[in-house]
Structures are given as structure tokens and as C-alpha cells.
């Protein structure tokens, strides 16, 4: 699921003059425990714009303890993550992938990762750093890392109505067909967890799973 998500995490397509004046962030990998607080802060900024049950900020759903425990149980996740670091050493973006057996955060509700699949479960960029090409750079890193791990397909989930879907399409992702039943379940889960993040009157509701073959 996008986080920009995952889960799936969103990268805006507009430009920010202040961001363009700064040196381009570098990607730092693997993820280290020292970066956990910054990653949690990046995720919360995105999630707090959405409301569980249309009331509770979603940034309250996962804290430091849960995040750290998931990576303690599955340390292989650390090498499937990258943090975008600015010239001042501060984290400004984050992307997390998972493969089968790595306990993706989305597996319980939205998408179960299968064999040969690398799933982008979370991608987010802080305000002020969007529209600089950082999202595309993180997608390129994901594709390279997925190929190194022998994945045959790169996947992600995007909330319907998210303008970042255009970025994913330009990068080569296409929508994965889903049954009406699966789509209905995702709509219900999304509404309960995130409310209607792109407007109460937006007809586009639910999650679109997208994939890019790597063969």
C-alpha cells in the first residue's frame, strides 16, 4: 500500500522553488536504527492527512515500538529500504520494499506478497522536497534492488485519486486486474482506515494494485 503506498506513500508532481534551490538529496541504504525516528516522522506527515474512521489521524496507527519490532523480527527488510538524505544530513524521503516472508505492513489488509515479487509498501517525501524528481529516483532504486534480489515483477498499491499514479504509469507500471469482490473489500478497508483522502465526493475510492514486469 502506498505511503506516497503501500502503502504504499505519495510523491507530488508539482515543483517547489525552495526545493529546487537545494542540492539534490542522496539515497542512503540500508536503513539503520538511527534513522528510525526520522522515517516514522516522514510516514506520520503523510498519514496524518488521512483519518481512520474519518476521525482519527492515521499517523497514530504505528509507532516507534511497532516499527522497530517488525524490523527486528525481519532484519532483511533493512536492505530493502532507502532513505533520501539532504545536504544537511536530515532525512527528507523514505521508501520500503518487501518480498515474500518479510511481513509487509499491508499483508494483513491489502496485498499479500507472492514469490518472485518485490512490493513497494511505503514511499513518502516530505513537503518542500516534492516535485524534484526524488520520487522517480526512489522508484529507480527500487527497480535496481528488486532485480538484484531476483524479483520478476515490481508492484505497489496506490489509493485511487492520488495524482502520483501518473508518475507510476510514466515509470512503466500498469494496473493489475482485480475481481469485483477484491476491489469491494479494498474499498471497505480503505474507507475504514483512511476515510476519503481525496474528497468525500470523489467517485474514485479504493486501491489500485500496479505492477511492472522486470523480465
Amino acid at each position: 500500500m502506498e505511503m506516497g503506498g503501500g502503502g504504499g506513500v505519495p510523491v507530488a508532481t508539482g515543483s517547489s522553488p525552495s526545493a529546487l534551490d537545494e542540492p539534490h538529496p542522496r539515497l542512503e541504504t540500508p536503513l539503520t536504527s538511527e534513522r528510525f525516528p526520522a522515517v516514522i516522522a516522514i510516514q506520520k506527515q503523510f498519514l496524518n492527512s488521512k483519518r481512520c474512521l474519518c476521525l482519527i489521524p492515521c499517523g497514530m496507527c504505528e509507532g516507534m515500538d511497532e516499527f522497530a519490532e517488525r524490523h527486528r523480527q525481519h532484519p532483511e527488510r533493512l536492505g530493502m529500504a532507502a532513505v533520501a538524505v539532504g545536504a544537511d544530513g536530515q532525512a527528507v524521503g523514505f521508501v520500503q520494499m518487501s518480498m515474500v516472508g518479510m511481513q509487509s505492513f499491508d499483508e494483513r489488509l491489502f496485498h499479500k506478497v507472492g514469490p518472485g515479487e518485490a512490493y513497494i509498501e511505503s514511499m513518502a517525501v516530505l513537503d518542500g522536497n516534492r516535485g524534484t524528481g526524488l520520487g522517480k529516483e526512489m522508484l529507480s532504486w527500487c527497480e535496481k534492488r528488486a532485480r538484484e534480489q531476483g524479483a520478476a515483477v515490481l508492484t505497489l498499491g496506490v489509493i485511487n485519486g492520488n495524482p502520483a499514479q501518473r508518475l507510476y504509469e510514466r515509470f512503466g507500471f500498469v494496473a493489475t486486474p482485480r475481481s469485483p469482490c477484491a476491489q469491494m473489500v479494498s474499498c471497505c478497508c480503505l474507507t475504514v482506515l483512511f476515510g476519503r483522502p481525496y474528497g468525500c465526493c470523489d467517485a474514485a475510492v479504493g486501491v489500485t494494485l500496479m505492477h511492472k514486469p522486470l523480465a
Side-chain angles (χ1 to χ4, degrees), residues 122-204:
S122 175
M123 187 169 78
V125 176
L126 284 179
D127 292 342
N129 292 273
R130 299 176 181 173
T132 63
L134 185 53
K136 183 178 180 181
E137 185 175 345
M138 289 196 293
L139 287 174
S140 295
W141 178 86
C142 287
E143 180 173 343
K144 179 176 182 292
R145 184 66 176 139
R147 290 182 184 278
E148 290 173 350
Q149 294 298 302
V153 62
L154 185 62
T155 61
L156 57 80
V158 57
I159 298 174
N160 293 338
N162 186 345
Q165 185 168 348
R166 294 193 293 271
L167 168 66
Y168 305 144
E169 290 170 346
R170 290 197 300 270
F171 196 76
F173 284 92
V174 295
T176 302
R178 305 180 76 183
S179 70
C181 180
Q183 187 63 23
M184 181 178 66
V185 170
S186 78
C187 287
C188 292
C189 291
L190 178 76
T191 302
V192 169
L193 290 176
F194 291 160
R196 297 298 296 271
Y198 298 105
C200 292
C201 298
D202 192 339

Side-chain angles (χ1 to χ4, degrees), residues 50-120:
K50 295 160 178 60
R51 296 290 188 269
C52 181
L53 299 176
C54 298
L55 294 172
I56 305 170
C58 291
M60 299 174 64
C61 294
E62 183 180 47
M64 175 65 70
D65 291 343
E66 295 86 354
F67 185 84
E69 179 62 17
R70 196 145 46 92
H71 286 80
R72 186 192 68 79
Q73 293 182 1
H74 297 274
E76 65 273 21
R77 290 174 54 84
L78 298 172
M80 299 297 287
V83 179
V85 180
D88 60 358
Q90 299 301 306
V92 299
F94 169 70
V95 62
Q96 174 77 62
M97 289 193 296
S98 59
M99 297 185 72
V100 67
M102 292 187 185
Q103 192 186 357
S104 162
F105 182 72
D106 292 350
E107 282 188 337
R108 292 167 290 181
L109 293 172
F110 295 106
H111 178 65
K112 184 173 180 62
V113 180
E117 174 186 2
Y119 177 63
I120 303 175

Side-chain angles (χ1 to χ4, degrees), residues 31-46:
L31 176 63
T32 63
S33 58
E34 289 78 11
R35 291 290 185 188
F36 283 4
V39 168
I40 291 292
I42 292 170
Q43 293 188 150
K44 283 185 179 295
Q45 185 188 85
F46 166 72

